[in-house]
Amino acid sequence: MRRALSIAGICGALLAAGGCGGTPVACLNGSGAYLRALEEAPGPVRLAGGVPISDCLTDNQKAGDLTAVGDAMLDSATALNAEARQEHGGASNVELGYLIGAAQRGAEDTGGIHAELMRRLIAAATYSPGKQVLSKDFERAYRQGFDAGLAEG
């Protein structure tokens, strides 16, 4: 009995940090957690407990966790896109790119379960009213963030 409790305790601690196959708790704290962490972009971005954003997209992710993570990421991408369109080439552009790059990194090895989320994230990140062309400054800063997120996210 004592050994079973020890294993359960270890798995619980690992789950909070992203182990035992579950979604790290830091990923489930809403868009505010992502937006605060993304302020570090293009440097390494970490959620609470040192969790990279890419770790929020896990293989065989539970539907409820996928919904919570997806909602937080989509809300973050939408907010950052609105800011980025106002300040072409500014920090919001880099943060937005980082978020998408990190999500892409996390989704790469999950058997396609995050494909719809990625489609929606990219649409939110690249939204432009009236389909206006996004500026070169927007694209350059977004690419800087995307590359960093893909590499480190």
Side-chain angles (χ1 to χ4, degrees):
M1 176 73 165
R2 183 176 281 170
R3 183 173 186 191
L5 290 175
S6 297
I7 292 171
I10 291 169
C11 191
L14 287 172
L15 183 60
C20 290
T23 303
V25 173
C27 301
L28 305 172
N29 291 331
S31 64
Y34 289 84
L35 292 171
R36 282 187 298 278
L38 285 162
E39 291 175 357
E40 300 300 318
V45 171
R46 298 296 180 258
L47 298 169
V51 175
I53 290 173
S54 59
D55 284 2
C56 295
L57 302 180
T58 61
D59 199 17
N60 298 315
Q61 193 163 32
K62 293 178 185 175
D65 289 353
L66 177 54
T67 298
V69 168
D71 286 349
M73 286 186 177
L74 283 167
D75 289 348
S76 298
T78 300
L80 289 170
N81 172 273
E83 292 174 19
R85 285 185 284 111
Q86 299 301 314
E87 57 169 88
H88 300 279
S92 296
N93 298 97
V94 176
E95 294 167 17
L96 180 60
Y98 193 103
L99 174 62
I100 306 307
Q104 180 65 44
R105 177 185 174 118
E108 285 178 349
D109 297 322
T110 61
I113 67 169
H114 298 101
E116 177 62 15
L117 172 60
M118 288 308 304
R119 185 193 68 73
R120 293 177 68 200
L121 281 171
I122 292 167
T126 59
Y127 170 75
S128 180
K131 298 188 181 195
Q132 296 174 345
V133 175
L134 297 169
S135 75
K136 294 291 183 195
D137 290 336
F138 179 105
E139 291 177 11
R140 188 174 15 264
Y142 177 90
R143 175 51 77 176
Q144 177 190 13
F146 181 87
D147 291 346
L150 192 60
E152 302 174 20

